[in-house]
Amino acid sequence: MNVLLDHLPEFREGFIGTVLLTLASGLLAMVLGVVIAGFRVSPIAPLRFFGTAWVTLFRNTPLTLLFLVAWFVVPVIFAPGLNPWTKALLALGFYTSAFVCEAVRSGINTVPLGQAEAARSIGMTFFQTLRLIVLPQATRTVIPPLSSIFIALTKNSAIAGAFSVTELFGVQKLLSDKGFAIAWIFLWVAIGYLVITFTISGLFRLLERRMGVAR
Amino acid sequence: MTEVSVAKDAAPAADGLVVLKNVNKHFGALHVLQDIDLTVARGEVVVVIGPSGSGKSTLCRTINRLETIDSGDIAIDGRPLPQEGRELARLRADVGMVFQSFNLFAHKTVLENVMLGQVKVRKADKKAAEEKARALLDRVGVGTQADKYPAQLSGGQQQRVAIARALAMDPKVMLFDEPTSALDPEMINEVLEVMQQLARDGMTMVVVTHEMGFARSAANRVVFMADGKIVEQATPDQFFSNPRSDRAKDFLSKILHH
Ligand SMILES: Nc1ncnc2c1ncn2[C@@H]1O[C@H](COP(=O)(O)OP(=O)(O)OP(=O)(O)O)[C@@H](O)[C@H]1O
Ligand SMILES: [Mg+2]
């Protein structure tokens, strides 16, 4: 108990770090995931190829390996001088985007083909069709898997702690190094994660109910 | 194409609004459209009939390039169909299409269904689009349903909304692919009446249908397809009373006498 009260600032900072990292990489993953899903159903072959390659790469690579690449390869080849937080954001965002993409794509596949045909036949472009007709109807089926994906993302963000980004899981290391009782630290850290994941699943359940009512 | 000559009043006028020349299409090994030549004149109503699997739907869908073709040329109002992309989208807006299964946008109200293309494709002002949508919905007799979702409407009502949605784009030509085939018998007439009225108003129409009554009363020309070919074309009177090809005779005897 005292561990928490005595180190409230550290816990708070860690908690906020996890929330921010999850939010930011979640947002990045959403944007990338939807765009790449669009690529994967597009009539343009190179885009489809790119989309497939993206998903194959990021869905099948262990996240820890992506972190290592972000830390030791990306700065050398692409962008030197990225701060750790940004590197963690990229690794988490890219990794999660592959899962978001597949969830969105399977949602797209549940929308009857006739909807897209009707949209195209009144002169909508491919992207208008996707944005105005197909994606809105796919949303309802995409929400439940997205909920799981974001909960997984929250927990995956713990890896960033091992790479010295300030976040909840890193607090555990910091304090146990100082010799505090491990069980209590773990408990408080776990509760911190629970708060975040419960919030996520609650929000998504709310969203789901909303969509259910609207038709 | 076919050796059968077409009667004077059924002859396509010189300025074909829809012109298909030597169109071929395959689905894998299946040669669904074989050397199709078809010209639809401005204001003409062409009914396409033929046995199941003869390629009627495919023909209809190639005209606005929902299906690509392997060879040949298709032109709408003198402009060849472009490749997939923005320009094709613009051209598609000039070709209205009505599907057997209605395909109304399920997440939009009836009114929104009819407004959407005007606003997003034609870039019309919202207010003007709504006015036009309401007028069109009145015209097809579903004005009171404007705020409902498609799933709350009967099939006949949905199909009339679909016609209004296509008309909202001010199309140069309307394609109908078996518009009444998914409807309960008592709803077929309300849709056919709307189509009759359209024909009387001078709309250029290509209609795939099994409704022979409609073909007789509204068509300028009947095109009979079998096995991916246009086998015969004639005025409805000629075609129904005196079909020339054996395929057509056989087909008519099956659908008219039982
Ligand atoms: N997307 C497709 N892929 C493969 N084969 C297809 C496809 N669409 C149609 N076909 C085949 O092409 C042939 C022509 O089909 P089409 O739908 O044009 O016939 P139709 O004359 O409209 O028949 P119906 O009266 O049953 O609607 C059929 O044999 C059909 O099985
Ligand atoms: Mg058909």
Side-chain angles (χ1 to χ4, degrees):
Chain A
M1 188 70 199
N2 279 337
V3 182
L4 178 68
L5 294 180
D6 294 347
H7 298 274
L8 208 50
E10 282 91 340
F11 273 105
R12 196 179 50 216
E13 219 178 302
F15 183 79
I16 291 173
T18 293
V19 169
L20 287 184
L21 190 58
T22 304
L23 274 180
S25 48
L27 200 68
L28 178 65
M30 263 316 281
V31 172
L32 281 174
V34 172
V35 170
I36 306 275
F39 283 6
R40 293 204 68 179
V41 297
S42 115
I44 303 161
L47 287 188
R48 277 203 306 275
F49 176 81
F50 179 84
T52 311
W54 180 280
V55 170
T56 309
L57 179 67
F58 288 108
R59 200 164 58 148
N60 298 311
T61 310
L63 182 55
T64 315
L65 189 63
L66 286 182
F67 266 92
L68 287 169
V69 171
W71 249 256
F72 301 112
V73 181
V74 170
V76 178
I77 301 178
F78 303 103
L82 283 182
N83 64 29
W85 198 83
T86 312
K87 287 186 273 193
L89 167 76
L90 290 180
L92 283 168
F94 282 23
Y95 177 79
T96 308
S97 75
F99 295 88
V100 171
C101 169
E102 288 307 273
V104 171
R105 194 168 67 100
S106 70
I108 287 174
N109 287 336
T110 63
V111 179
L113 195 60
Q115 293 286 311
E117 287 189 342
R120 289 200 294 152
S121 75
I122 60 170
M124 286 191 190
T125 62
F126 170 76
F127 287 105
Q128 281 181 321
T129 302
L130 200 60
R131 185 167 55 86
L132 299 169
I133 305 301
V134 178
L135 285 178
Q137 294 188 61
T139 311
R140 223 167 9 142
T141 35
V142 172
I143 284 176
L146 275 187
S147 177
S148 317
I149 289 170
F150 286 126
I151 286 172
L153 168 63
T154 310
K155 297 183 292 178
N156 285 339
S157 72
I159 295 181
F163 286 81
S164 63
V165 174
T166 309
E167 55 80 64
L168 197 51
F169 194 68
V171 174
Q172 160 272 135
K173 190 169 175 302
L174 183 82
L175 295 182
S176 49
D177 284 352
K178 287 187 184 172
F180 290 99
I182 276 189
W184 280 107
I185 302 173
F186 280 180
L187 182 68
W188 289 116
V189 168
I191 288 175
Y193 279 107
L194 273 181
V195 168
I196 299 172
T197 51
F198 270 43
T199 309
I200 290 175
S201 60
L203 281 177
F204 272 91
R205 213 165 315 127
L206 210 71
L207 254 175
E208 212 174 320
R209 200 156 333 131
R210 273 273 183 79
M211 310 289 296
V213 173
R215 255 177 33 75
Chain B
M1 202 188 60
T2 160
E3 305 305 315
V4 178
S5 67
V6 171
K8 265 200 311 292
D9 52 346
D15 75 319
L17 184 57
V18 178
V19 180
L20 284 78
K21 275 197 197 122
N22 207 15
V23 168
N24 280 281
K25 162 132 193 114
H26 296 79
F27 281 123
L30 184 68
H31 199 168
V32 261
L33 295 182
Q34 307 181 17
D35 301 325
I36 299 288
D37 285 308
L38 180 68
T39 300
V40 182
R42 214 172 290 276
E44 196 183 13
V45 176
V46 172
V47 162
V48 181
I49 64 174
S52 178
S54 54
K56 308 180 297 293
S57 297
T58 310
L59 176 70
C60 221
R61 292 160 58 85
T62 56
I63 295 177
N64 69 352
R65 215 171 175 284
L66 281 180
E67 301 283 358
T68 55
I69 56 175
D70 301 335
S71 67
D73 297 295
I74 301 177
I76 308 286
D77 206 5
R79 287 157 61 196
L81 282 187
Q83 288 299 302
E84 193 73 39
R86 212 163 268 279
E87 206 186 332
L88 176 64
R90 206 170 310 132
L91 201 127
R92 271 200 193 115
D94 292 340
V95 181
M97 176 119 189
V98 175
F99 301 86
Q100 182 174 345
S101 49
F102 329 134
N103 295 346
L104 291 178
F105 304 134
H107 62 309
K108 300 276 182 195
T109 64
V110 163
L111 184 68
E112 289 167 340
N113 263 275
V114 185
M115 286 176 62
L116 199 62
Q118 299 182 63
V119 174
K120 299 295 179 183
V121 177
R122 297 287 194 216
K123 310 293 179 200
D125 164 68
K126 271 235 169 78
K127 198 151 173 303
E130 178 172 343
E131 240 163 66
K132 185 171 175 183
R134 288 196 188 277
L136 281 167
L137 288 171
D138 282 338
R139 181 168 154 198
V140 299
V142 287
T144 53
Q145 317 289 329
D147 297 319
K148 290 190 179 167
Y149 283 93
Q152 297 169 294
L153 267 54
S154 74
Q157 290 171 326
Q158 289 190 51
Q159 194 60 299
R160 285 181 284 154
V161 174
I163 293 173
R165 176 177 67 180
L167 288 175
M169 308 305 292
D170 297 318
K172 292 174 178 164
V173 51
M174 290 274 285
L175 311 173
F176 295 82
D177 186 6
E178 301 203 27
T180 57
S181 297
L183 296 178
D184 293 336
E186 74 269 22
M187 294 171 189
I188 290 178
N189 275 332
E190 61 189 49
V191 172
L192 290 180
E193 269 160 30
V194 169
M195 292 169 61
Q196 298 265 14
Q197 189 56 50
L198 261 182
R200 279 196 292 274
D201 293 346
M203 175 61 75
T204 310
M205 295 161 68
V206 176
V207 185
V208 177
T209 185
H210 295 298
E211 293 297 327
M212 297 306 145
F214 176 83
R216 277 178 195 280
S217 61
N220 301 109
R221 181 157 46 124
V222 172
V223 168
F224 176 73
M225 281 186 79
D227 301 328
K229 294 192 202 80
I230 294 180
V231 176
E232 181 168 347
Q233 39 184 328
T235 61
D237 269 355
Q238 264 184 345
F239 180 79
F240 289 113
S241 57
N242 187 19
R244 267 166 273 217
S245 63
D246 291 341
R247 289 300 304 260
K249 282 177 192 157
D250 183 50
F251 176 75
L252 285 176
S253 74
K254 274 184 192 135
I255 61 162
L256 296 178
H257 309 294
H258 68 77

